[in-house]
């Protein structure tokens, strides 16, 4: 029962007793309480007399249950009668718990697998690039076909969009080969024929959602194989292998700089609604790393290249790679997925590696043509 129903509880102990101490609370009156015989250390709880002739024992029991706290931080509570086991014993204080260990930042992926896969892919690309150029063109065409398969599969699974894969895969591989053989003219002709093939192929199915499906197909043809064609066109120059290597190095260095600086110092979000992990500090890291790498590549790898041209090239690569990454992040958010595929452990799918490479390819091709020509 709450003490408030019995009146104001007695005042607790505040120090050594003094008969003349100012502000000392008067001892409460009780049946068995004698102020002159009370101990001078602290006030005793009220203990009622046992009635001689019966009396109201319930009332006496209630009086016995009423007692104030002995110390100020002790809560007012009912005390058990002598010999009575308390129903709710006072809990023991909790033992001190060790402080939780601070959590470390993680990359969110298996870095060991990502590094191993990256080294393996790099070895295949470099070997094919400097041994037989046609083999490298085949590697690019294979990457395009797999990327188209991932993109069209996710579109159908998440949105019900049926972009025709067969004409896209055949036209995409032909587009890369035509770009290598006939450069820009071949790329544009192959793009036009692929678009026409998508329109015709989709006519074999129901007319429902025809416009939606062919629009997605044309977008896929432009986004994956057409942009990849500029990598094949870089290869046609006399120093084509070094141009492609410069393109790959600058893109990878830009991504690495963005990750390293953003992971260590990133606090200001770059585009939180699109990609919450990207920061402005990471973008500055991408620009700095890419500009330094661009200056070195233009000075030592590209024929007739000058270091200051590499600074501009690196700046452009950092911008295009970041925009490409954000662009695919926008697509994946719209589809409600984290990765386009699971083919590459630690990376996701092929499209998750092509996101920054595809939009960067035409930028590097154009700047190299402007700086040192197409030969």
């Amino acid at each position: 029962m709450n003490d408030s129903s019995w009146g104001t509880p007695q005042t607790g102990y505040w120090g050594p007793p003094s008969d003349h101490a100012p502000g000392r609370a008067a001892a409460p009156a009780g049946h068995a309480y004698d102020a002159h015989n009370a101990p001078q250390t602290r006030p005793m709880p009220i203990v009622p007399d046992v009635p001689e002739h019966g009396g109201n024992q319930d009332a006496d029991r209630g009086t016995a249950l009423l007692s104030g706290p002995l110390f100020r931080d002790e809560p007012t509570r009912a005390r058990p009668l002598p010999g009575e086991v308390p129903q709710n014993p006072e809990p023991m204080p909790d033992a001190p718990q060790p402080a939780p260990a601070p959590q470390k930042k993680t990359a969110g992926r298996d870095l060991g697998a990502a590094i191993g896969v990256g080294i393996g892919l790099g070895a295949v690309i470099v070997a094919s690039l400097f041994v037989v150029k046609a083999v490298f063109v085949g590697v690019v065409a294979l990457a395009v076909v797999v990327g188209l398969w991932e993109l069209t599969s996710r579109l159908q699974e998440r949105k019900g969009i049926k972009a025709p894969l067969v004409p896209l895969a055949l036209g995409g591989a032909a587009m890369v080969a035509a770009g290598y053989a006939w450069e820009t003219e071949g790329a544009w002709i192959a793009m036009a024929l692929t678009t026409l093939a998508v329109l015709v192929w989709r006519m074999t199915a129901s007319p429902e959602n025809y416009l939606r499906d062919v629009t997605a197909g044309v977008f896929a043809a432009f986004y994956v194989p057409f942009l990849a064609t500029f990598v094949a066109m870089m290869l046609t120059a006399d120093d084509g292998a070094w141009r492609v290597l410069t393109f790959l190095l600058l893109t990878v260095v830009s991504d690495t700089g963005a990750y390293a600086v953003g992971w260590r110092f990133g606090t200001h979000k770059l585009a939180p609604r699109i990609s919450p992990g990207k920061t402005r500090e990471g973008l500055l890291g991408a620009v700095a790393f890419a500009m330094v790498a661009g200056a070195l590549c233009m000075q030592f790898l590209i024929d007739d290249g000058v270091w200051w041209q590499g600074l501009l090239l690196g700046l452009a690569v950092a911008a295009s790679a970041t925009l490409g990454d954000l662009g695919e992040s926008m697509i994946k958010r719209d589809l409600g997925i984290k990765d386009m595929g699971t083919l590459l452990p630690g990376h996701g799918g092929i499209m998750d590696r092509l996101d920054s490479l595809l939009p960067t390819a035409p930028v590097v091709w154009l700047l190299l043509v402007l700086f040192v020509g197409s030969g």
Side-chain angles (χ1 to χ4, degrees):
M1 180 179 295
N2 196 315
D3 290 338
S4 61
S5 64
W6 296 85
T8 307
Q10 69 184 40
T11 307
Y13 179 73
W14 284 94
S18 174
D19 294 337
H20 305 288
R24 180 176 179 181
H31 292 85
Y33 190 90
D34 189 352
H36 298 286
N37 296 328
Q40 297 302 310
T41 56
R42 62 182 182 181
M44 296 294 292
I46 301 172
V47 179
D49 290 333
V50 177
E52 296 180 358
H53 305 287
N56 189 349
Q57 297 194 15
D58 290 337
D60 291 337
R61 179 183 293 266
T63 306
L65 291 175
L66 176 63
S67 64
L70 296 180
F71 298 96
R72 189 169 184 84
D73 58 350
E74 179 182 356
T76 302
R77 66 184 184 276
R79 297 183 182 276
L81 293 175
E84 180 181 353
V85 178
Q87 298 296 324
N88 297 309
E90 182 178 356
M92 297 296 292
D94 294 335
Q97 299 295 329
Q103 296 183 352
K104 297 181 179 180
K105 289 184 177 181
T106 59
R109 296 183 183 273
D110 187 346
L111 278 183
I115 293 173
V117 171
I119 293 175
L121 289 175
V124 171
I125 291 172
V126 171
S128 61
L129 185 61
F130 287 96
V131 175
V132 180
K133 290 184 177 181
V135 174
F136 178 76
V137 174
V139 171
V140 175
L142 178 61
V144 162
V145 172
V146 176
L148 286 169
W149 168 71
E150 290 180 347
L151 180 58
T152 55
S153 298
R154 301 297 87 77
L155 288 175
Q156 183 169 355
E157 292 171 0
R158 308 298 297 185
K159 296 290 187 179
I161 300 174
K162 299 178 181 179
L165 177 60
V166 173
L168 284 173
L170 295 176
M175 206 179 300
V176 173
Y180 177 69
W182 300 292
E183 299 190 31
T184 54
E185 293 84 356
W188 280 112
I189 293 173
M191 175 65 189
L193 293 177
T194 301
T195 301
L196 181 60
V198 168
L199 295 173
V200 173
W201 189 278
R202 181 58 181 79
M203 289 180 184
T204 60
S206 169
E208 184 179 2
N209 296 322
Y210 175 82
L211 183 60
R212 182 197 66 180
D213 294 344
V214 297
T215 301
V218 174
F219 163 75
F222 178 84
Y223 180 45
V224 184
F226 182 76
L227 294 181
T229 301
F230 287 92
V231 181
M233 290 193 293
M234 289 184 214
L235 201 57
T236 60
D238 295 336
D239 58 347
W242 296 106
R243 295 192 184 201
V244 173
L245 182 62
T246 297
F247 153 70
L248 295 173
L249 284 176
L250 293 187
T251 308
V252 171
V253 167
S254 173
D255 289 345
T256 303
Y259 170 79
V261 176
W263 181 82
R264 182 64 180 86
F265 303 104
T267 56
H268 301 86
K269 300 298 183 182
L270 178 63
R273 295 182 60 185
I274 302 175
S275 182
K278 290 180 175 52
T279 61
R280 300 175 189 175
E281 291 81 2
L283 176 59
L284 294 178
V287 170
F289 278 52
M291 290 181 71
V292 172
L296 294 174
C297 288
M298 286 297 294
Q299 186 69 37
F300 298 107
L301 298 183
I302 304 301
D303 295 341
D304 301 324
V306 184
W307 65 269
W308 64 265
Q309 296 171 339
L311 295 178
L312 298 178
L313 182 63
L315 177 61
V317 166
S320 61
T322 302
L323 290 175
D325 202 348
L326 290 175
E328 186 172 352
S329 295
M330 197 76 168
I331 296 173
K332 291 188 287 188
R333 280 195 170 276
D334 187 26
L335 296 177
I337 58 177
K338 180 180 179 182
D339 295 319
M340 282 290 186
T342 58
L343 187 61
L344 304 177
H347 293 269
I350 289 290
M351 284 300 300
D352 297 301
R353 294 300 87 204
L354 296 179
D355 54 0
S356 55
L357 290 169
L358 289 173
T360 302
V363 173
V364 174
W365 173 83
L366 177 61
L367 289 179
L368 288 177
V369 169
L370 293 176
F371 288 154
V372 296
S374 59

